[in-house]
Amino acid sequence: MPKKVILDVDTGCDDAVAILLALNSPELEVLAIGTTHGNVEADLAALNTLRVLEWVGRDDIPVAAGAAAPLNQPLRTARWVHGEDGLGNLYLPPPRGKPTGEHAADQIVRLARRHPGEVTLIATGPLTNLALALVKEPRLPELIREVILMGGSAFYGGNLSPWAEANIGHDPEAAAAVFAAPWPVTMVGLDVTMAALFTRAMHEELGRCPRPGAQLAHRVLAHYLDFYDRVYGRDGCAQHDALAVAVAIDPTLVEAPLLPVQVETRGEHTRGMTVVDRRALLADRVPELFPDRDRWHVRVALKVDGERFLSLLLERLTR
Ligand code: RIB
Ligand code: CA
């Protein structure tokens, strides 16, 4: 039986690839997609998501636009990373379809109630919709099977600020609520996403495949690769969001120990940081230091089998 998933995205070049990976993976059944502010506004993210779905003939999947702004700070987008249109400046034609009109947070609550204990939430943008859904339905942690989120870092540091990864830094209060709720969370952060870069050689291989999804990913990623080249001087771009989807497909792609995680919301220089208690890696040796260990519920991905992840991604996009 495939895992039932809801994607929550801020589409976004790497979100687009993540969506394509999910659609091409028989291990997953995409029930619906919600969008949030982040890389672009939530409304544009919804249109971009519809563009991706229609490109590959999957306009049967409902798309709900969600939170237009973070809970407690002004909206900030990342067009300098993803292009003015959010999809690598391709300026694709408007989609034929429309967002459903339901709020993405309501969509999460409705589907969680309809499929109690079965739904995996894969979040690849700021966590505002998930935080709103927790307020709307306090029993959500019991209703959801697990949350897999792209965000944060334990050792790597930040990309939005010295210590904040973008998805957490774009709404620290929402992230704090999501990490605090008692549901199983897997944090797929920069420690692993920046350790498995998708190279230009892989990009060329993608370009040789005539399938519509491969062609779309190839076009979207051209811009993203240039960004990585310019900013990081690296031959290759991270596939942040696709790695979160890949972990839903195959959790053995990462080593992810249970660790306590707090989100910093007040730090003058560290707002949006995921404060991971790395001392807890020693918990087996000194259990007396960690009396609350049975309440830990966040797995933090610290290592990735990059080769296996990237070949899974290429294979799923091109087959
Ligand atoms: O930090 C990387 C994350 O921020 C990715 O999800 C990217 O799409 C942006 O949302
Ligand atoms: Ca994203």
Side-chain angles (χ1 to χ4, degrees), residues 10 14-15 39 82 124-125 150 159 165-167 190 240-241:
D10 60 339
D14 60 327
D15 301 79
N39 293 325
H82 296 266
T124 66
M150 190 285 133
N159 56 3
E165 181 281 329
N167 288 340
L190 299 177
H240 302 287
D241 296 344

Side-chain angles (χ1 to χ4, degrees), residues 115-135:
H115 307 282
E118 290 187 60
V119 174
T120 296
L121 286 176
I122 305 178
T124 66
L127 296 166
T128 320
N129 289 331
L130 276 65
L132 292 173
L134 281 166
V135 173

